Amino acid sequence: MALAERRDCKDYVSVFVCDDWHLLRHFETETQDLAGLEWSPNGCVLAVWDSCLEYKVLLYSLDGRLLSTYSAYEWSLGVKSVTWSPSSQFLAIGSYDEKVRILNHITWKKVAQFEHPASINSTKAVVYKEVERRPAVGAEDLSLQTISDGSALFNTRSKYEINPLPVQIPVVKPDQDRANPKIGVSALAFSSDSRYLATKNDNMASVVWVWDTQKMSLEAVLEQTSAVRCFQWDPRRPRLALCTGNARLYLWTPAGCVSVQVPTEGGFQVQALNWHCRGDALLVLGKEQLCLCYMDADQDHE
């Protein structure tokens, strides 16, 4: 276990052995104001990063040796999010400059840089756009019974359509005078096989970007009708689930996208979601309710 603390205006990290909680190492970090730390999944390297006022990511070994330091630029808001790939081979860094930088585990140098452009022109990526439609209602359907039942007649239906290129991504201009401006890459998540990386850029809040880490290129773009609240990968296969605060669950795989209505009564709004460790069930969380979604066990791998 790694514990970050501040003493006498300096940052320190203590590493404990969890079997008997004895102190293994205690060392000072080269940070101005330590903002976060995270172990690599194999437990060999500890990533430490500074506050957003200084772009600095530090890699430490178990014995407290500084393996490498990475800084992409100076004199501007820096690191906003950091995550390891499950294989421990990549460290993804999301920044306030709307870019993701991928470091490799051998040299700790940048091997790729992913940008989030407002216009997508020439790419092999597929751009999926959520389209909502209200079903047409005839006079014969408007009986008191169907209205009182809250029938699905009045539910907005949603599906994905593939957008032809070029595509303009909706961008919200942040208020630079307010604290914590809505800009930069705030969410990063690798698939369980480390093949794909999903990202969210805060001033494009309704869009999720999926990158292929083998080709180091953009694989898919999912443009939702509302701001994305949460996304999470299936722990067993490359399948991404996301929610936008409505009554629907969205799933992406390399084979395509699907929008699923959560079959509950009342105004259920999906605020967050969490996969079961086996990947065969998904917990969908609303404000005051939760729903358990089971995946079809007989489905094909695609």
Side-chain angles (χ1 to χ4, degrees):
M1 183 186 77
L3 169 69
E5 53 188 332
R6 193 164 178 85
R7 298 180 186 174
D8 303 324
C9 300
K10 294 180 180 180
D11 294 326
Y12 295 89
V13 168
S14 299
V15 179
F16 295 89
V17 179
C18 296
D19 289 340
D20 55 5
W21 300 108
H22 76 267
L23 180 65
L24 181 67
R25 285 288 183 274
H26 176 78
F27 56 91
E28 183 181 347
T29 61
E30 297 181 16
T31 51
Q32 299 294 324
D33 185 9
L34 192 152
L37 71 170
E38 187 174 338
W39 289 108
S40 61
N42 61 13
C44 294
V45 180
L46 181 67
V48 174
W49 57 96
D50 221 322
S51 75
C52 63
L53 298 178
E54 182 164 350
Y55 199 120
K56 184 184 284 187
V57 178
L58 306 160
L59 288 313
Y60 288 96
S61 65
L62 269 174
D63 58 3
R65 287 182 299 113
L66 180 61
L67 301 174
S68 186
T69 302
Y70 179 76
S71 177
Y73 53 80
E74 292 182 298
W75 318 119
S76 186
L77 290 178
V79 177
K80 191 165 188 177
S81 54
V82 175
T83 192
W84 288 93
S85 68
S87 65
S88 301
Q89 293 177 305
F90 299 117
L91 181 66
I93 305 167
S95 312
Y96 277 90
D97 67 348
E98 305 177 45
K99 298 175 184 177
V100 176
R101 294 165 176 87
I102 308 292
L103 308 187
N104 75 83
H105 73 299
I106 298 174
T107 63
W108 302 114
K109 304 293 184 186
K110 183 179 74 175
V111 293
Q113 178 172 292
F114 299 147
E115 302 186 12
H116 299 78
S119 178
I120 301 176
N121 298 310
S122 56
T123 176
K124 294 181 180 179
V126 181
V127 181
Y128 298 96
K129 183 173 184 177
E130 182 190 3
V131 178
E132 292 184 338
R133 289 192 179 91
R134 287 191 177 276
V137 180
E140 66 276 6
D141 297 322
L142 296 178
S143 67
L144 287 174
Q145 181 66 30
T146 57
I147 293 173
S148 62
D149 288 345
S151 168
L153 288 171
F154 300 99
N155 287 343
T156 303
R157 292 175 183 172
S158 162
K159 68 173 185 176
Y160 283 107
E161 291 182 352
I162 296 178
N163 263 15
L165 298 177
V167 174
Q168 284 296 126
I169 301 295
V171 179
V172 177
K173 192 171 183 180
D175 186 354
Q176 302 282 11
D177 297 329
R178 297 185 64 182
N180 302 315
K182 293 288 186 181
I183 190 170
V185 181
S186 64
L188 299 165
F190 278 95
S191 60
S192 58
D193 59 359
S194 302
R195 171 71 186 269
Y196 299 103
L197 172 68
T199 65
K200 177 190 169 187
N201 187 23
D202 273 356
N203 53 324
M204 302 171 177
S206 62
V207 179
V208 173
W209 307 69
V210 181
W211 309 86
D212 186 328
T213 58
Q214 284 189 4
K215 302 174 183 175
M216 290 299 178
S217 63
L218 185 62
E219 176 76 13
V221 177
L222 281 62
E223 183 185 334
Q224 308 295 131
T225 56
S226 304
V228 175
R229 300 286 183 92
C230 173
F231 58 76
Q232 194 178 79
W233 288 98
D234 182 330
R236 291 293 181 92
R237 64 183 72 184
R239 178 167 55 186
L240 183 71
L242 60 121
C243 62
T244 62
N246 56 23
R248 286 185 287 274
L249 173 67
Y250 305 94
L251 296 167
W252 175 88
T253 71
C257 277
V258 66
S259 168
V260 182
Q261 184 78 22
V262 178
T264 58
E265 296 179 1
F268 187 86
Q269 295 179 325
V270 185
Q271 304 294 322
L273 43 85
N274 202 351
W275 284 97
H276 189 279
C277 59
R278 291 197 303 265
D280 56 358
L282 185 66
L283 196 64
V284 181
L285 302 170
K287 290 182 179 178
E288 297 177 345
Q289 299 170 299
L290 62 85
C291 179
L292 195 55
C293 169
Y294 289 98
M295 300 295 165
D296 186 355
D298 297 327
Q299 66 187 348
D300 189 60
H301 186 69
E302 280 78 31

